[in-house]
Amino acid sequence: AAQVVLPWISGQSASENPEEWQRMLQWVERDQVGGLIVSTGAPRVLLAKLNAAQARARVPLLVVSDLETGPGMRLRPGGTDFPPAMAFGAAGSEALARQAGRVTAAEARAVGIHLTLGPVLDLNSNPDNPIINVRSFGEDPARVGRLAAAWIAGAREGGLLAAGKHFPGHGDTRVDSHVGLATVRGDSARLATTELVPFRAAVDAGIEGMLVGHLAVLGIEGPGAGPASLSPRVIGGLLRERLRFEGLVITDALNMGAITGRYPVPAASVRALQAGADLLLQPPGHPEVIDSVAEAVRSGRLAPARLDQAVRRVLEAKARAGIHRGAAVAGDSLAARVGVPAHAAEARRVAAASITLARDRTGLVPRTRPAGRVLHVSYGEAGGAFTAELTAAGWRVEHARVSARTGAAEFARLRARAAEAELVVASAFVAPHQYRALGLAGGFAAFVEGLAAAGRPVVAVSFGSPYLLAGFPSVPAYLLAWSGSEASQRAAARALAGLAPITGRLPVSLPPFHDAGEGVRRPG
């Protein structure tokens, strides 16, 4: 029973958190868990921690991590950061997606990670989705499937297993499943022609795992539907029978609100296995979960053959990763494999190819070295590297940061400064994050819309969600960079300054303003 359980560990060292380090070793030695899901940490610390765990394991551990935006998402500091999936959708390049998979695999395996929870196979067809957004490749099923298949191929070339998510599709939802139970309303016919298309492409590409979301599939199971992660009709019917998937089925994290708000975690874990899941991800109180699974077998509620089948798939995944030949990872080559210049160059290539000019009604982009002052007003955490790159291009930039708490007096001062500027650049970093609202708050949107409505030359730049345009629909120019990473900020600045071409296309529609596939191209 323990082989199907993956508890969470931090990326902290033994000296930073000795109590957790000892707990981890107990989980491995006493509980004999099947693996671990690891969070953020420095590469050398993660390597040492995972090697210590593997040294205590009777059966080698399957180590899992979420590396959606590249290894730098968890290997921090030091790992390579990529823009999110929607940037690849804007670039439209399967070659770039494949190379990103290779880079992610190289750095993940260098520290002892065997399987990543990705790529995201959801179609972000709902602009109000609070948690998927730029994590998706886009809204076109065939394009998402092609890009995902390319990423999977690259990861496999580097020896990294992949588990696509969130089956059967979290894109057309309005609830963050970290908080509550999201609903999918499409019926069987709708799912077959839309949401399931990328998952089918991933299965055809040989993906090793599939993560099933905590989603109520109302069109299949009716108004009383529970989470798909606990549903025999979704796992057995849709995934196993219709898509003919034979690999490892993983539940989404069992500490999420969609589960903990409805069920005791041990009972939900047994239900997930009964439904056909093979791996229980991140259950809180995992020793009780293991005992509950064992008791379910003894009482006849869970067939021994079902548990054997799940364990066999876990062991097959471990064998596919090659860890039966030696689970320890040598640290002497870490510096040559993680965060190397060649990998950073790949991230910059993606960022540059993804820059998308959704509109430019008055010819503001590109702007080659303005004679006057440029006012850059940034909302959120990004914007420093963008300003630095514009300054390096010879621009005279005044940079002001605002937030949801910025008051009316400060916006009034900025309006006065904008009246004297040759150009106003309004940038925003808003990206999906669990347990947090997605969107602009405070007076920033009204400030930008007021400048645009008054005829001021304003370029709005999004370093995240493309749907921010709804907050300032009058802006004459709207540039999308998809990410607040340094690579994306510098790529956006170079595009705005005319130092690089703009070639991206919208991978999603921005209703009612722009359709998917639109994009104004500009030569460098």
Side-chain angles (χ1 to χ4, degrees), residues 357-367 423 449 452-453 455-460 469-470 472-479 506 510-515 518-522:
L357 186 58
R359 69 165 62 153
D360 186 15
R361 292 172 175 167
T362 56
L364 294 174
V365 182
R367 193 83 164 193
L423 179 70
E449 176 65 7
R456 298 299 303 157
V458 181
V459 177
L469 183 60
F472 30 77
S474 300
V475 290
Y478 188 42
L479 191 70
L506 285 173
L510 307 180
F513 311 110
H514 299 284
D515 294 328
E518 289 186 28
V520 182
R521 298 206 170 198
R522 294 281 190 255

Side-chain angles (χ1 to χ4, degrees), residues 364-376 386-398 422-425 459 492-499:
L364 294 174
V365 182
R367 193 83 164 193
T368 55
R369 195 176 297 187
R373 180 178 53 84
V374 173
L375 176 64
H376 174 209
F386 178 74
T387 297
E389 191 73 17
L390 289 176
T391 301
W395 289 36
R396 291 194 296 124
V397 183
E398 176 186 352
E422 179 178 330
L423 179 70
V424 178
V425 179
V459 177
R494 290 180 58 79
L496 180 58
L499 299 175

Side-chain angles (χ1 to χ4, degrees), residues 407-473:
E410 176 61 10
F411 280 120
R413 186 189 73 81
L414 291 173
R415 275 192 293 273
R417 300 296 292 159
E420 300 169 356
E422 179 178 330
L423 179 70
V424 178
V425 179
S427 73
F429 173 66
V430 176
H433 191 278
Q434 59 197 49
Y435 309 112
R436 192 164 66 195
L438 177 65
L440 294 166
F444 176 75
F447 165 75
V448 177
E449 176 65 7
L451 293 179
R456 298 299 303 157
V458 181
V459 177
V461 181
S462 175
F463 292 117
S465 172
Y467 304 108
L468 302 184
L469 183 60
F472 30 77

Side-chain angles (χ1 to χ4, degrees), residues 213-494:
H214 304 319
L215 311 166
V217 189
L218 303 184
I220 299 291
E221 300 200 277
S229 51
L230 313 184
S231 168
R233 292 183 70 179
V234 174
I235 296 175
L238 279 184
L239 185 53
R240 293 292 189 203
E241 293 178 15
R242 183 177 293 192
L243 267 61
R244 301 186 182 280
F245 178 65
E246 297 296 332
L248 189 66
V249 172
I250 308 171
T251 68
D252 208 343
L254 291 168
N255 64 345
M256 292 166 65
I259 295 295
T260 59
R262 298 168 65 90
Y263 312 96
V265 172
S269 300
V270 171
R271 287 186 59 173
L273 289 168
Q274 291 170 331
D278 305 310
L279 199 54
L280 305 173
L281 186 66
Q282 210 169 319
H286 73 268
E288 188 180 355
V289 168
I290 295 169
D291 290 343
S292 295
V293 172
E295 175 55 32
V297 173
R298 283 192 291 266
S299 68
R301 291 183 296 120
L302 180 63
R306 171 75 273 273
L307 182 59
D308 287 346
Q309 182 186 54
V311 172
R312 183 175 184 86
R313 288 199 180 106
V314 172
L315 297 176
E316 286 174 343
K318 294 180 180 186
R320 218 171 282 125
I323 53 178
H324 58 296
R325 293 190 291 269
V329 177
D332 51 3
S333 63
L334 198 62
R337 298 175 66 189
V338 175
V340 296
H343 294 175
E346 292 295 337
R348 289 194 298 271
R349 274 192 276 276
V350 176
S354 73
I355 300 300
T356 305
L357 186 58
R359 69 165 62 153
D360 186 15
R361 292 172 175 167
T362 56
L364 294 174
V365 182
R367 193 83 164 193
T368 55
R369 195 176 297 187
R373 180 178 53 84
V374 173
L375 176 64
H376 174 209
V377 181
S378 63
Y379 175 99
E381 301 166 7
F386 178 74
T387 297
E389 191 73 17
L390 289 176
T391 301
W395 289 36
R396 291 194 296 124
V397 183
E398 176 186 352
H399 184 194
R401 292 185 181 274
V402 299
S403 71
R405 297 181 297 276
T406 300
E410 176 61 10
F411 280 120
R413 186 189 73 81
L414 291 173
R415 275 192 293 273
R417 300 296 292 159
E420 300 169 356
E422 179 178 330
L423 179 70
V424 178
V425 179
S427 73
F429 173 66
V430 176
H433 191 278
Q434 59 197 49
Y435 309 112
R436 192 164 66 195
L438 177 65
L440 294 166
F444 176 75
F447 165 75
V448 177
E449 176 65 7
L451 293 179
R456 298 299 303 157
V458 181
V459 177
V461 181
S462 175
F463 292 117
S465 172
Y467 304 108
L468 302 184
L469 183 60
F472 30 77
S474 300
V475 290
Y478 188 42
L479 191 70
L480 295 156
W482 311 106
S483 150
S485 71
E486 181 174 346
S488 293
Q489 289 190 57
R490 293 191 181 277
R494 290 180 58 79

